[in-house]
Amino acid sequence: MFFSLTATANESDTDHVDETIVATPLPDGYWIEAFPFKPGDTPDIIAYGLGFLGKPSAIKFLINPVNSGSSGWKVNEIASLDFPVGLTYADLTGNGFNDVIIVDRYGPSMNNVLHFTSILWDAATNNGGRIRWLRNPGVRDSPQAWEAHDIGNSTGMHRIAAGHFTTSDQTQVLALPIIPRSSDLTSPAPILVFTPVYGSDPTQGPTSWNEDVAFDSEFRLIHDARVLSKTNEDLDMILVAGREGIVLLWFDKPSQAWKYNVVGDGLPQSGNNPYWGSGSLDVCRVDDDEIGYIATSEAFHGNVVSVYVKKPGAPTGVEALKDRTYWERIVLGDFGPLNDQYTGTIHHVKAIQIGPESVPQSFALACMGAPIGTPENQGVYIYTPVNLTTGEFKRVKITDQSAGRVAAASFSQPTGQDPDIASISYYVPDYFTGLDPPNVRIDTLSSRSLEISALRLNKDILLLIPRPSVIPEGQYRSLPFWILAGKRITLVVLPPQGTYDFNETDAVKVIFGTIIYGSNGGVLTRGIAPAAKTTQSTLVPSPITAGDDGAVFLRIEVLNDQPQGPFSTMSDVTSLNDLPNNAYVSADARLAPLPFIKVDTMDWASSGLWNNFEFYNVTGFHVHFNDDTFDSVVHMQAWTLGLGETARFHDHTDKSFCEIHFCLSNGGGTGGMQTTFSLTPARDQRYFPDDYTEPIDPAAELTRTYVETNSTLLVVPDMHEHGPLWKIQAGSQARPVIRPDDTVDYPWHAWLASRFGDWTLPIVPALPSDQQKYDVWMAFEFPSTAFQY
C-alpha cells in the first residue's frame, strides 16, 4: 500500500512524505527496530507488540525487498514470546551476523491501578523480566525460530542496551528495569550489567552471563536509554531518561566504580502526578559536536517536548554532560492535559539526520494518539532546529497514524539521502488502543531543503533552491523551468567540487558561486559575471566543476525543433512554462503562463515613452535560497526589442540591484548596451563622473547623433553576457557604489538594437516581418551583496 502525504498547512512545508505500509493488520503494536542482519547491510525491520494473556507475541522479522529481491517486504516470525518489551542487537558469536537481544515476560502491565487485568511478572516467582538473546541463523528466511538463550532476569525489566560499559573485551548488556515491583513507582530499581562468559568455541555464543549491579538504589522509572559509543576511552557511556531526569552513567576506570551526573531534572514534580523527570531522549549532533543538544519528552508517557541546549562556553562532546551548568532546558511544546492517570501521548524520541552532516540533526517524536479523538496527538512529528539558542524549531508531521516508536535508516534510499522513518502503531490492550488496526509503515522523506521547489508569486514564479553546501557529495539538483527563444533553461545546484556534463551546444549562466573548466590547455574559473564593461561567451567545454562554495547556474540547451533566431515575428519567440509536474512544484506555478507582454501596455510604462515600440517583456522568476535566511540569489526576466529601436536610457534609481544581461539572439548582430560618457574626459574616464546629475533628453535620445556622441557601444553577441555597467568602488573589481537611498549607482545606459537611427522612432507602422529582426535577452538582477569583490 502506497500513498503520499504532505505537511499540514499549520506545520511546515519543508518536507514531502511518501508512506508505504509494510505490514498490516497487526494484532497489536509496541516496538520497532532497524535491524542490520549483518554489519553494512541495508537494514531490515524487527517489529512486535506485547501480546495478550494466553497468546504470546510473534516477533516479526520484516525482510527488506532490497535484501530479498522480492517485490515487497516479507514477514518471517523468528520467536514467540510473552509480553516482550525492549530490544537491541549485537554480534554475540563473532560470526559476522547480528543477534537479537530482547526482554520478555514483562507482564501485562506495570501498575494494577491503571485498570489492567494483571500486573508485572516477578523475576523470582514467575520468571519475569527475562532477557534473552536469539541466535541469528545466518539465513534471513529461515523457517525455524531463532534459537533462544537466557541472559538474566529482573522484575520490571523494560529497556536494555548493548555495548562496552566496564570492559572492551566483550559486548555487555546493560539492563534497566522501570520499577522493582508492580505498582511501586517510588522505590528505585537496580541497573544491572550482564557480561558474557564464553567456552572454548566463541562462535557458539556465551555459555553463561555474569551479573553485576551498576546502581542499586539511585534511579526510578527509567523509560529510555542512549548509548554514547566510545566516549569513555574505549568504553561506552549511557544517557538515560527517568524520574531523576536526564542522567549520564559511566564506569570510572581509575576508581573502578560507576558514576553518574544529572544533566537536567526534566519536568518538575507537580501535585499528585507520580510522573516527573524525563520519559524519552536522544542526543543530536550539531556540526562536529556529537553532543550538540538533547531532545526529550517529559515525563513518562508525557505530553511535553523539550530540548537541552548548551550555554555559551560549554565544551563539545561528552564532557559537557558531566556538568549540568552547561545546559539550559527549553520547552518546545505541550500536547495538552494528561488523562486521569497522568499519562499522555509521547512514547519515543529519536535523533534523525535530515540533509548532510553540515546541518544540525533533527529529531522525531512518536505519538500514540492519546486521548483518542485528538488527531494532533497522533502520529510522528519531526522537529528541525532553526535557532538553538532561542529554542526555535520547525515542526512537520510525516504520518497521521499512531506511533509507539520510530526507527530511522536508509531502508529504501541510497545512504546519504534523508532517512526513511519506520514506525509502528502503539496498540496495547487494556492500556491504549487507537481507532485503527495497528500496522508498520515507512515514511520516506524528500526534504524540500535538498530540492528545488517552485511557487507562484503574484505574476512571477518563485524558485526556492538548496544551498550548494547541503547537497550530498556526488549529487546535484536540477529543475527545468523555462523554454525561451527555442532554448530549454534548467536551474542546476551543484555542491562544492561537484561535476556536471553539458552538450556541445549548451550554454551556462552562473548565478551563484563559481565553475571551473579546462580551456586551451589551461584552467578557467567563471563567476556570476565577466569583467566590467566586457562581454564573454557562455559556451563552455564540458565537464565543469563547482568551486569551493559550489555553484548555481542555468543550463541553456538548444532545442533543434524550434526557431533559434533571428526572429522576424514575436510569435516565433517562444516563452513557455517548462516546470514539471512533481511534488515540489505547486500547481499554480506549473500552470502559470509566461507570455511576452508589450511594454507600452504595462503600468510602469504609462508615461508613453515606449508607445508603438516593438519592446516586450516577460517578468519572470525570483530565485531564493530555501533556508531560513531566504536570501535572494537573482531575479530573471526576458526582453525583446525590434530592429532600430531603443529600450531608452535609465539609471535604476527606483530599485537596487546589479544587472547583467545575457543575449539569446542578437537580431542584427550589433545590438547591445550603450553607456554614456562625458564629452570632457575626467582622468581619461569616458563615462559620466559619479556626481553627474543631468537628465537624459527623452527626445534627443531617439536620435543617432545624440547617442553616438554621448555613449559607447558594447556589443553583446548571441550566447554572450556582459560584465558590470554600474559605478564601481575604487580599488575593487565589481563592488558597486551605493547611493544615499541604498540604490546601486549607475551611469545612464540602455539596450539599443542593431541599426539604431536608421528609422525615426517610434517606427509606425511597425517593420514588416521580412525586415524585422528582434533582439532577445535575459536580464539578471542580483543583490548588490553578490558583487563584493
Side-chain angles (χ1 to χ4, degrees):
M1 186 181 300
F2 178 86
F3 63 92
S4 293
L5 175 75
T6 54
T8 54
N10 63 345
E11 296 293 342
S12 168
D13 60 358
T14 58
D15 291 282
H16 177 81
V17 182
D18 290 325
E19 185 163 285
T20 303
I21 304 300
V22 173
T24 188
L26 303 176
D28 55 357
Y30 181 77
W31 195 275
I32 190 167
E33 190 80 20
F35 179 73
F37 195 73
K38 61 180 186 293
D41 275 8
T42 299
D44 301 295
I45 289 175
I46 294 177
Y48 52 88
L50 297 186
F52 307 83
L53 275 174
K55 184 179 179 182
S57 171
I59 309 302
K60 296 176 176 61
F61 178 45
L62 306 177
I63 303 174
N64 196 322
V66 172
N67 298 319
S68 68
S70 63
S71 59
W73 289 75
K74 297 174 63 176
V75 180
N76 192 16
E77 295 185 1
I78 62 174
S80 179
L81 302 175
D82 290 311
F83 298 109
V85 276
L87 175 146
T88 188
Y89 58 85
D91 180 3
L92 296 176
T93 64
N95 65 359
F97 293 93
N98 282 318
D99 305 298
V100 170
I101 307 169
I102 191 168
V103 175
D104 75 336
R105 299 192 64 77
Y106 175 73
S109 75
M110 74 174 191
N111 193 339
N112 61 3
V113 302
L114 296 180
H115 310 300
F116 290 103
T117 57
S118 186
I119 56 178
L120 287 183
W121 286 359
D122 185 79
T125 62
N126 202 12
N127 197 23
R130 179 174 61 181
I131 308 172
R132 315 189 90 185
W133 69 277
L134 310 178
R135 184 192 299 274
N136 188 324
V139 179
R140 280 187 169 85
D141 57 357
S142 172
Q144 284 80 36
W146 290 18
E147 185 180 288
H149 304 266
D150 290 349
I151 294 176
N153 293 72
S154 183
T155 303
M157 187 59 64
H158 203 58
R159 297 291 183 258
I160 51 175
H164 299 93
F165 304 108
T166 65
T167 177
S168 59
D169 295 336
Q170 293 96 20
T171 297
Q172 299 171 293
V173 176
L174 191 73
L176 303 155
I178 191 166
I179 57 176
R181 62 192 62 87
S182 183
S183 301
D184 185 352
L185 306 182
T186 303
S187 301
I191 296 178
L192 308 175
V193 180
F194 292 94
T195 304
V197 177
Y198 289 87
S200 58
D201 184 3
T203 63
Q204 296 303 305
T207 57
S208 62
W209 294 75
N210 291 331
E211 176 183 327
D212 295 291
V213 178
F215 297 96
D216 184 40
S217 57
E218 285 86 354
F219 303 108
R220 299 163 293 179
L221 289 167
I222 290 178
H223 187 252
D224 205 359
R226 166 73 146 81
V227 174
L228 306 176
S229 180
K230 293 187 177 180
T231 49
N232 185 16
E233 297 180 5
D234 57 347
L235 302 181
D236 305 330
M237 296 183 176
I238 192 163
L239 204 61
V240 298
R243 179 179 279 189
E244 277 62 46
I246 295 174
V247 185
L248 178 70
L249 314 177
W250 75 97
F251 184 74
D252 183 61
K253 284 187 175 181
S255 64
Q256 290 290 291
W258 280 87
K259 293 188 176 182
Y260 72 90
N261 180 62
V262 178
V263 180
D265 296 325
L267 188 73
Q269 184 176 1
S270 176
N272 295 322
N273 185 349
Y275 305 114
W276 60 88
S278 178
S280 182
L281 62 77
D282 208 346
V283 174
C284 301
R285 184 195 45 75
V286 176
D287 298 325
D288 59 352
D289 187 359
E290 294 296 330
I291 317 291
Y293 72 95
I294 303 168
T296 179
S297 62
E298 300 168 338
F300 171 80
H301 291 199
N303 273 344
V304 175
V305 187
S306 296
V307 291
Y308 282 81
V309 300
K310 288 182 175 178
K311 297 177 182 178
T316 59
V318 74
E319 289 305 310
L321 296 174
K322 293 182 178 180
D323 187 341
R324 65 180 296 153
T325 64
Y326 290 134
W327 298 90
E328 177 185 1
R329 173 178 174 258
I330 300 175
V331 176
L332 302 185
D334 190 329
F335 281 84
L338 303 172
N339 61 22
D340 56 1
Q341 280 83 42
Y342 300 102
T343 60
T345 193
I346 308 172
H347 194 248
H348 186 220
V349 174
K350 178 68 176 176
I352 295 174
Q353 183 65 55
I354 296 179
E357 291 189 356
S358 58
V359 300
Q361 284 186 316
S362 305
F363 66 91
L365 208 66
C367 297
M368 297 182 282
I372 292 174
T374 52
E376 64 274 16
N377 284 21
Q378 178 170 291
V380 176
Y381 289 92
I382 293 180
Y383 289 72
T384 298
V386 175
N387 186 325
L388 280 171
T389 302
T390 61
E392 182 183 355
F393 280 69
K394 287 183 179 179
R395 185 176 80 162
V396 60
K397 193 177 191 182
I398 64 168
T399 181
D400 289 324
Q401 302 194 59
S402 171
R405 289 184 66 87
V406 298
S410 295
F411 296 111
S412 63
Q413 304 188 86
T415 301
Q417 297 277 352
D418 287 344
D420 302 311
I421 310 298
S423 56
I424 187 171
S425 307
Y426 191 98
Y427 197 96
V428 177
D430 292 323
Y431 177 61
F432 178 84
T433 56
L435 298 175
D436 302 315
N439 63 54
V440 171
R441 83 288 305 191
I442 294 177
D443 293 291
T444 300
L445 304 186
S446 300
S447 173
R448 294 190 187 276
S449 65
L450 291 179
E451 304 298 335
I452 303 173
S453 58
L455 303 168
R456 187 72 182 268
L457 183 67
N458 300 319
K459 295 180 180 180
D460 284 8
I461 293 173
L462 174 63
L463 300 175
L464 295 172
I465 65 171
R467 289 190 181 271
S469 59
V470 306
I471 301 297
E473 183 179 351
Q475 301 181 26
Y476 64 86
R477 295 294 185 270
S478 65
L479 184 76
F481 65 94
W482 203 357
I483 293 177
L484 179 63
K487 281 89 174 170
R488 169 171 283 114
I489 303 177
T490 299
L491 182 59
V492 181
V493 182
L494 195 61
Q497 284 74 55
T499 59
Y500 189 88
D501 291 311
F502 290 94
N503 295 325
E504 185 176 353
T505 56
D506 290 349
V508 60
K509 169 61 191 141
V510 179
I511 60 174
F512 176 85
T514 56
I515 61 172
I516 303 166
Y517 53 93
S519 178
N520 297 322
V523 176
L524 297 180
T525 298
R526 176 183 295 238
I528 58 177
K533 301 177 180 65
T534 67
T535 62
Q536 176 176 261
S537 173
T538 59
L539 299 174
V540 299
S542 183
I544 62 157
T545 300
D548 290 343
D549 295 326
V552 183
F553 57 87
L554 306 186
R555 175 184 180 178
I556 301 168
E557 179 185 5
V558 172
L559 300 178
N560 293 320
D561 60 346
Q562 294 195 19
Q564 297 298 313
F567 298 98
S568 60
T569 67
M570 280 302 299
S571 61
D572 289 336
V573 186
T574 50
S575 178
L576 302 173
N577 188 326
D578 197 36
L579 287 168
N581 183 4
N582 70 28
Y584 310 108
V585 176
S586 69
D588 55 353
R590 180 171 51 85
L591 298 175
L594 297 170
F596 275 103
I597 298 175
K598 206 160 187 288
V599 166
D600 62 13
T601 66
M602 296 180 171
D603 292 342
W604 59 265
S606 60
S607 64
L609 289 175
W610 293 272
N611 284 359
N612 298 312
F613 279 54
E614 284 298 298
F615 188 27
Y616 296 83
N617 171 252
V618 180
T619 184
F621 297 81
H622 292 270
V623 182
H624 285 251
F625 286 119
N626 64 7
D627 56 20
D628 298 301
T629 67
F630 195 62
D631 284 342
S632 173
V633 179
V634 74
H635 174 244
M636 302 176 288
Q637 55 183 325
W639 302 88
T640 69
L641 184 66
L643 199 65
E645 297 190 331
T646 173
R648 288 190 177 269
F649 286 94
H650 52 284
D651 59 357
H652 297 307
T653 57
D654 55 338
K655 292 182 180 180
S656 185
F657 53 73
C658 293
E659 186 176 49
I660 300 296
H661 293 111
F662 179 112
C663 184
L664 294 170
S665 179
N666 193 318
T670 60
M673 298 301 296
Q674 293 271 359
T675 53
T676 54
F677 66 93
S678 174
L679 293 174
T680 303
R683 300 180 183 175
D684 294 327
Q685 298 294 315
R686 295 185 64 196
Y687 300 93
F688 276 102
D690 290 353
D691 58 354
Y692 183 86
T693 58
E694 293 300 316
I696 289 291
D697 184 326
E701 71 165 322
L702 302 183
T703 65
R704 175 182 288 144
T705 299
Y706 178 86
V707 167
E708 292 185 352
T709 300
N710 293 283
S711 68
T712 188
L713 175 65
L714 181 65
V715 175
V716 187
D718 290 0
M719 308 305 267
H720 280 61
E721 61 178 333
H722 69 67
L725 299 181
W726 53 85
K727 299 175 184 179
I728 295 173
Q729 294 184 31
S732 71
Q733 299 177 50
R735 186 178 295 120
V737 174
I738 304 298
R739 301 184 182 110
D741 63 356
D742 287 332
T743 59
V744 174
D745 199 354
Y746 272 85
W748 296 106
H749 62 286
W751 188 285
L752 281 81
S754 300
R755 297 185 62 186
F756 172 79
D758 283 7
W759 294 273
T760 300
L761 297 181
I763 303 172
V764 179
L767 294 178
S769 60
D770 61 351
Q771 297 181 39
Q772 185 62 272
K773 293 180 180 180
Y774 287 94
D775 286 354
V776 185
W777 71 96
M778 296 177 69
F780 293 84
E781 298 165 357
F782 292 93
S784 61
T785 53
F787 288 92
Q788 298 302 301
Y789 58 89

